[in-house]
Amino acid sequence: MIALKSAREIEVLRRANVIVAEILQELRGRVAPGVTTLELDQLAEELTYKKRAQPAFKGYTMAGRVFPRTLCVSVNDEIVHGIPSGRRLQKGDIVGLDFGVICDGYYGDAAITVGVGEVSEEAARLVRVTEAALGQGIEQLCEGKRLGDLAWAIQSTVESAGFSVVRAFVGHGIGRKLHEEPPVPNYGEPDRGLRLREGMVLAIEPMVTAGGYEVEIKDDGWTAVTKDGSLSAHFEHSVAITKNGPYILSRI
Ligand code: MG
């Protein structure tokens, strides 16, 4: 069942997502060669408590496995769900930062991909196209449009740039739970699927690769990588559908 949110609930979701956005902005400023992914995680956790919120990902359980950290950090061929570690970022890496909090019982969730120092032209284009695809998808979040319209806006933006959309992971509804109905695929056909309504709040999160869309999971049970070793980028916003169109809750 899809839980439609009242205007009051959307304002609480806005608070949670502003915290996420502020912390992602801070993390973006810390990304540099030599920084470990665990240092980014520790900063994210510290800032979360300082803002009187709780980490949403730490302790999250999927298929019996518990995610051990506050931040997901996915480097280069890692698509999503990378576990922070002693790995040091290197110049030329691209690093996906996916982050969520709980605030007053509601979840915030967003992601960015950041270059470490100067990156290759291909990597920069991948990051740019992924963010642009997210923007194109969000524009479709209006009453009366359908999930397929959003999916197609994302897929066509990505594929016309020569990149691939990951199929194995999708966006989701968000509210009192991190992952609510409906699933929100980043590929599909226009004018198909669920009709969008005012009060829906969706986390839209295209995951894009410079190669094929096949995915493998590393032995840690979490880290998803591209099967062909190609680079991957990920952007995410949590967005409310209002009568005036999309309201991007995680944008500051
Ligand atoms: Mg998400």
Side-chain angles (χ1 to χ4, degrees):
M1 208 193 77
I2 297 168
L4 297 178
K5 276 77 178 182
S6 66
R8 189 201 65 81
E9 287 182 292
I10 288 172
E11 280 319 302
V12 183
L13 280 157
R14 168 69 174 161
R15 282 206 294 280
N17 278 286
V18 165
I19 291 172
V20 169
E22 287 172 346
I23 294 175
L24 281 174
Q25 197 171 59
E26 191 104 11
L27 293 169
R28 178 194 284 277
R30 291 297 179 96
V31 166
V35 171
T36 70
T37 58
L38 192 57
E39 284 164 356
L40 296 175
D41 175 73
Q42 285 163 344
L43 177 61
E45 188 163 307
E46 218 174 276
L47 293 170
T48 301
Y49 288 121
K50 207 187 253 181
K51 291 176 186 288
R52 300 178 198 288
Q54 285 90 46
F57 299 168
K58 196 174 195 173
Y60 186 85
T61 304
M62 190 175 69
R65 285 188 190 258
V66 179
F67 193 79
R69 299 290 177 192
T70 292
L71 185 67
C72 292
V73 186
S74 306
V75 183
N76 295 338
D77 64 324
E78 296 173 352
I79 303 165
V80 284
H81 307 158
I83 301 174
S85 69
R87 177 176 186 166
R88 285 187 193 282
L89 298 176
Q90 294 182 12
K91 184 170 168 256
D93 286 344
I94 56 170
V95 53
L97 306 173
D98 189 354
F99 179 56
V101 303
I102 314 167
C103 174
D104 299 328
Y106 287 82
Y107 281 83
D109 188 9
I112 56 174
T113 298
V114 183
V116 183
E118 203 181 308
V119 304
S120 70
E121 214 169 287
E122 167 94 335
R125 196 169 68 88
L126 176 69
V127 171
R128 232 174 21 242
V129 166
T130 307
E131 189 168 21
L134 172 60
Q136 293 296 318
I138 288 171
E139 279 187 22
Q140 301 297 313
L141 293 180
C142 302
E143 250 197 321
K145 291 268 191 180
R146 301 173 70 163
L147 273 186
D149 295 320
L150 161 121
W152 175 244
I154 291 172
Q155 183 181 3
S156 57
T157 303
V158 168
E159 291 181 352
S160 64
F163 298 135
S164 299
V165 169
V166 169
R167 268 92 162 137
F169 302 99
V170 298
H172 49 93
I174 183 166
R176 284 190 172 278
K177 287 193 282 184
L178 178 59
H179 295 126
E180 295 187 353
E181 293 292 314
V184 183
N186 299 299
Y187 59 95
E189 289 173 39
D191 206 27
R192 296 284 167 86
L194 182 78
R195 208 168 280 283
L196 300 177
R197 288 180 58 188
E198 183 184 345
M200 288 181 180
V201 181
L202 305 175
I204 312 300
E205 49 178 324
M207 289 146 268
V208 176
T209 82
Y213 61 71
E214 294 86 359
V215 166
E216 264 173 15
I217 307 294
K218 282 190 174 173
D219 289 341
D220 62 25
W222 284 101
T223 312
V225 296
T226 56
K227 196 169 178 183
D228 59 10
S230 61
L231 288 177
S232 178
H234 176 211
F235 281 85
E236 176 177 20
H237 271 308
S238 292
V239 186
I241 299 171
T242 75
K243 58 177 177 300
N244 304 316
Y247 173 21
I248 304 177
L249 302 176
S250 50
R251 174 177 284 170
I252 49 173

